[in-house]
């Protein structure tokens, strides 16, 4: 069985999408290959798959031979054709540049030039920010191959020793992944590395070397070096950086074979600059990252996993210093500029003063905003303005809580659908929504029902070819036609409603009839759950105001629902007739345009007159130039990225203080 397709996975089959693709392939008994050009490799080896260099928009074929060949080909083709297949455990493309799971600390503005004009060392500016602190040198002993020649009788025991080492390492990494101290973004990186550690490519090359008479440690080093060289030959910078992952994995296997452990990083002092020739991603992910003032490495670049972890946690990092990193082995103090890639060893008083001044300014800015975490903005009449968070997954909850978000103004349920190869079950959805509600016990949590179509297709739903999908079968329109999908979600939401202040809103609403038809389905679902003896609750039902029809019909809609939420992203493109994904008309796609603001005000007037709540969950909700107008119009909720919550609370507090 063989079929061809065009790869739609964002950025292609790099580390994490490759790992997920391989896991899917391993679920089938058939032998499965992926073919690009004249080269075919096993679809069950993530290393071989990454080395194939499959990029977005490449044409590939899937070939399977076995009892479940048809199912295997269908599933793998579906994965490759889904534009969001690269999503692992969060929102968007995480493997190449994961979004911060907590709001990154505000970094000082990038200096126009290095802070020390002619001094210091220079490497790759891998993570922005400034660091100044004591050096924590991490230079574990190198593992040198013995190149021992085995006798014929020693080969099989040595292969068994290698297999046992792989198993012990897997168990160690599994324990690391199960710990509570690791963020989800870091966990995904470590999980991908864990799978590579026992990949067929590394295993087969190592076993072949042992068969040739080489001891296991030397065989691992030889095999990993060859594979690392293959990665370095690739013309993709991100994929070439996986050579470092291969070498780091080989080191861990060798340490396990030798019964040794790398020096741990638990004793890093507060504000220290971690200096290493190289450091494994899982070692860094398990380190006390909140204590780090910076990271300096001899190896690595902006696309290495060490750089990704540093950026995720807002830690300044300079990598790729090469042999020059040895100048820091015995240093007492260092200053690093993650904007320019400069590292100053033993900075003088003037340099320390410049770094301290800029680091202090950034800290004061962060601290000034942090005091607004628990602030509850109130108008002069006592009305509370909810500053909530827009979320796409449970992994983002911690960031919202840390920022002081007053609940969730938009939970995008389509991402739950996009990241699975099959439609999520009722139980899976119910637990997700329930956990979300439990995370914000004192605030409302607004869940948007499935909003797919247009730019957001999913596996399991076949969309028709449309000339303009943004004006087509999407949002509530699709859901009302596919009640087999919609009712599963509504049942899950009713079940989750017993766990907190859950609210539900409908996307892409144009008519009152769409709301009424949804209410009929909700009543049907509630009756079914009652008959089945399943615990469930009720939830307020609202609509998104994002079509001109909803604006013009706002007065009638307000009589049918409990609240409005304005989605300015789509509302702007529909009011201005300007596709928000088309750069040619980007100048028209501005929520501040008088026509868009007039639409917002018309919807707000209808909501206020009907006595229902009205909020906003589009990007404009955090715009400092527009917030005063939204408050004047009567909006009582603004929902945004967690990183904008504290700044918005500050602006609202100052606005109300002046008004008072």
């Amino acid at each position: 069985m063989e079929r061809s397709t065009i790869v739609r996975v964002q950025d292609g089959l790099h580390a994490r999408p490759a790992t997920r693709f391989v896991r899917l392939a391993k679920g089938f008994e058939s032998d499965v290959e992926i073919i690009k050009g004249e080269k075919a490799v096993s679809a069950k080896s993530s290393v071989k798959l990454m080395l194939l260099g499959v990029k977005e928009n490449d044409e590939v074929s899937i070939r399977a031979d076995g009892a479940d060949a048809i199912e295997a080909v269908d599933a793998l083709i579906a994965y490759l054709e889904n534009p969001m297949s690269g999503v692992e455990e969060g929102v968007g493309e995480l493997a190449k540049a994961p979004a911060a799971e907590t709001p990154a600390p505000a970094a000082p503005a990038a200096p126009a030039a290095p802070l020390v004009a002619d001094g210091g060392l220079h490497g790759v500016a891998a993570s922005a920010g400034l660091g100044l602190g004591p050096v924590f040198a991490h230079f574990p002993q190198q593992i040198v191959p013995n190149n021992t020649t085995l006798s014929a009788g020693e080969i099989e025991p040595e292969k068994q020793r290698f297999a046992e080492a792989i198993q012990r390492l897997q168990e160690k990494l599994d324990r690391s992944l199960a710990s509570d101290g690791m963020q989800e973004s870091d966990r995904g990186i470590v999980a991908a590395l864990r799978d590579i550690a026992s990949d067929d490519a590394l295993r087969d090359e190592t076993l072949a070397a042992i068969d040739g008479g080489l001891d296991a440690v030397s065989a691992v080093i030889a095999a990993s070096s060859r594979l690392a060289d293959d990665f370095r030959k690739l013309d993709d910078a991100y994929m070439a950086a996986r050579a470092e992952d291969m070498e780091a994995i080989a080191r861990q296997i060798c340490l396990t074979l030798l019964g040794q452990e790398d020096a741990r990083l638990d004793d890093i002092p507060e504000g220290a600059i971690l200096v290493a020739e190289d450091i494994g991603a899982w070692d860094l992910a398990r380190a006390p990252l909140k204590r780090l003032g910076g990271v300096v490495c001899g190896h690595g670049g902006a696309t290495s996993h060490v750089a990704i972890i540093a950026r995720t946690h807002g830690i300044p990092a300079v990598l790729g210093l090469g042999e020059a990193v040895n100048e820091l082995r015995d240093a007492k103090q260092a200053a690093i500029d993650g904007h320019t890639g400069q590292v100053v060893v033993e900075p003088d008083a003037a340099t320390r003063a410049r770094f301290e001044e800029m680091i202090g300014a950034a800290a004061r800015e962060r601290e000034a905003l942090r005091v607004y975490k628990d602030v509850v903005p109130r108008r002069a009449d006592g009305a509370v303005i909810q500053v909530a968070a827009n979320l796409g997954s449970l992994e983002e909850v911690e960031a919202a809580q840390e920022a002081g978000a007053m609940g969730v103004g938009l939970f995008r349920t389509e991402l739950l659908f996009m990241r699975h190869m099959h439609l999520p079950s009722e139980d899976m959805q119910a637990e997700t929504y329930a956990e979300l509600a439990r995370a914000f016990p004192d605030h409302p949590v607004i869940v948007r029902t499935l909003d797919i179509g247009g730019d957001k297709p999913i596996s399991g739903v076949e969309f028709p070819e449309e000339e303009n999908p943004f004006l087509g079968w999407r949002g509530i329109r699709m859901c009302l036609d596919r009640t087999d999908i919609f009712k599963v979600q509504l049942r899950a939401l009713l079940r989750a409603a017993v766990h907190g202040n859950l609210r539900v809103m409908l996307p892409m609403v144009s008519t009152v009839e769409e709301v009424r038809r949804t209410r009929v389905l909700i009543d049907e679902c509630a009756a079914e759950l009652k008959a089945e003896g399943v615990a469930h609750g009720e939830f307020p039902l609202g609509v998104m105001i994002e079509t001109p029809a909803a604006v013009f019909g706002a007065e009638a809609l307000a009589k049918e629902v409990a609240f409005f939420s304005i989605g300015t992203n789509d509302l702007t493109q529909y009011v201005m007739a300007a596709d928000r994904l088309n750069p040619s008309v980007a100048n028209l796609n501005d929520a501040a345009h008088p026509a868009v603001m007039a639409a917002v005000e018309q919807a707000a007037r209808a909501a206020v007159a009907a006595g229902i709540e009205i909020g906003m969950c589009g990007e404009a909700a955090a715009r400092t130039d527009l917030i005063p107008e939204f408050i004047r119009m009567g909006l009582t909720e603004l929902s945004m990225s967690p990183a904008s919550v504290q700044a918005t609370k500050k602006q609202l507090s100052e606005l109300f203080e002046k008004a008072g």
Side-chain angles (χ1 to χ4, degrees), residues 161-196:
R161 196 165 76 90
F162 168 69
E164 291 170 355
I166 291 293
Q167 183 176 348
R168 290 198 302 275
L169 178 57
Q170 290 281 33
E171 291 169 354
K172 171 187 171 183
L173 294 176
D174 285 339
R175 288 194 299 272
S176 176
L177 288 167
S179 67
D180 295 331
M182 190 180 295
Q183 285 199 12
E184 289 303 322
S185 55
D186 303 339
R187 201 182 304 276
I189 291 173
V190 175
L193 297 176
R194 174 202 58 191
D195 291 340
I196 294 173

Side-chain angles (χ1 to χ4, degrees), residues 53-192:
V54 177
K55 298 181 179 179
E56 187 175 4
N57 296 321
D58 279 352
E59 182 176 357
V60 300
S61 298
I62 302 296
R63 178 192 298 152
D65 182 18
D68 52 4
I70 295 175
E71 292 86 349
V73 170
D74 286 346
L76 293 171
I77 289 289
Y79 181 96
L80 296 173
E81 290 179 345
N82 181 351
M84 291 299 290
S85 293
V87 177
E88 180 69 9
E89 291 299 331
V91 185
E93 177 43 55
L94 295 181
K96 220 162 181 180
E101 297 301 319
T102 58
L115 290 180
V116 182
D118 298 313
L121 312 174
H122 290 272
V124 176
S127 181
L130 300 174
L132 174 67
V135 169
F136 186 91
H138 180 70
F139 288 87
Q141 185 176 356
Q142 294 297 306
I143 299 173
V144 180
N146 291 326
N147 294 321
T148 302
T149 301
L150 302 174
S151 66
E154 292 174 320
I155 288 177
E156 284 306 317
E158 194 72 353
K159 290 166 70 173
Q160 181 61 32
R161 196 165 76 90
F162 168 69
E164 291 170 355
I166 291 293
Q167 183 176 348
R168 290 198 302 275
L169 178 57
Q170 290 281 33
E171 291 169 354
K172 171 187 171 183
L173 294 176
D174 285 339
R175 288 194 299 272
S176 176
L177 288 167
S179 67
D180 295 331
M182 190 180 295
Q183 285 199 12
E184 289 303 322
S185 55
D186 303 339
R187 201 182 304 276
I189 291 173
V190 175

Side-chain angles (χ1 to χ4, degrees), residues 136-451:
F136 186 91
H138 180 70
F139 288 87
Q141 185 176 356
Q142 294 297 306
I143 299 173
V144 180
N146 291 326
N147 294 321
T148 302
T149 301
L150 302 174
S151 66
E154 292 174 320
I155 288 177
E156 284 306 317
E158 194 72 353
K159 290 166 70 173
Q160 181 61 32
R161 196 165 76 90
F162 168 69
E164 291 170 355
I166 291 293
Q167 183 176 348
R168 290 198 302 275
L169 178 57
Q170 290 281 33
E171 291 169 354
K172 171 187 171 183
L173 294 176
D174 285 339
R175 288 194 299 272
S176 176
L177 288 167
S179 67
D180 295 331
M182 190 180 295
Q183 285 199 12
E184 289 303 322
S185 55
D186 303 339
R187 201 182 304 276
I189 291 173
V190 175
L193 297 176
R194 174 202 58 191
D195 291 340
I196 294 173
S198 60
D199 188 85
D200 290 348
L202 180 58
R203 184 199 63 190
D204 292 348
E205 288 220 24
T206 300
L207 291 175
I210 296 174
D211 279 331
L214 207 56
D215 67 277
V217 171
S218 302
V220 169
I221 293 172
S224 62
S225 296
R226 283 194 295 272
L227 291 168
D229 287 343
D230 288 341
F231 275 113
R232 289 193 176 97
K233 293 173 185 175
L234 297 175
D235 61 1
D236 181 283
Y238 178 83
M239 294 305 300
R242 304 287 67 77
E244 295 155 21
D245 295 334
M246 182 62 63
E247 289 166 344
I249 287 165
R251 177 178 178 82
Q252 294 301 316
I253 297 171
C254 290
L255 286 170
T256 305
L257 282 164
L258 295 169
Q260 300 175 7
E261 285 273 353
D262 256 338
R264 290 184 62 86
L265 302 172
D266 296 345
D267 297 329
I268 293 176
E270 191 72 32
I273 308 298
L274 172 62
V275 178
E277 185 173 358
D278 197 7
I279 185 169
W282 59 65
D283 287 325
L284 185 60
R286 292 182 299 142
L289 296 171
K290 290 183 179 179
R291 293 188 214 155
L292 286 184
V295 176
V296 177
C297 276
H299 295 173
T303 55
S304 70
H305 277 142
V306 171
I308 290 170
I309 291 172
R311 288 196 295 271
T312 297
H313 294 271
I315 301 169
V318 176
L319 309 181
L321 281 179
E323 291 297 323
V325 75
N326 290 308
E327 295 185 30
L328 288 144
R329 278 181 180 266
D330 300 316
K332 301 297 183 185
Q333 192 176 53
I336 74 169
D337 184 346
H339 301 289
T340 64
Q342 187 180 39
V343 179
V344 183
V345 186
E346 308 294 11
D348 60 24
T351 301
R352 289 198 303 271
R354 284 194 289 273
F355 272 85
E356 287 169 353
E357 180 182 355
M358 295 192 70
I359 292 170
R364 288 191 294 275
E365 184 179 346
R366 291 195 301 272
E367 192 60 35
L369 287 178
R370 194 173 291 127
V371 300
Y372 289 92
K373 174 182 176 180
D374 298 320
V375 165
V376 177
R378 296 179 187 273
R379 294 188 320 214
D381 62 2
V384 171
I385 305 299
Q386 299 279 337
V387 183
N390 296 337
L391 305 180
S393 71
L394 294 178
E395 288 77 21
E396 298 174 68
V397 165
E398 183 181 354
Q401 292 171 329
E402 284 296 313
M406 302 163 68
V408 178
L410 167 64
F411 186 73
R412 305 178 182 93
T413 61
E414 62 272 12
L415 298 179
L416 175 63
F417 285 71
M418 286 177 175
R419 72 193 207 184
H420 291 284
M421 293 306 300
H422 304 288
L423 295 172
S425 67
E426 180 183 320
D427 287 345
M428 178 186 292
Q429 291 189 61
E431 180 51 36
T432 299
Y433 308 145
E435 187 172 342
L436 182 70
R438 288 192 292 263
F440 297 91
D442 301 323
H443 297 291
V445 168
I446 300 176
V447 177
R448 181 174 69 187
T449 58
L450 188 54
D451 185 16

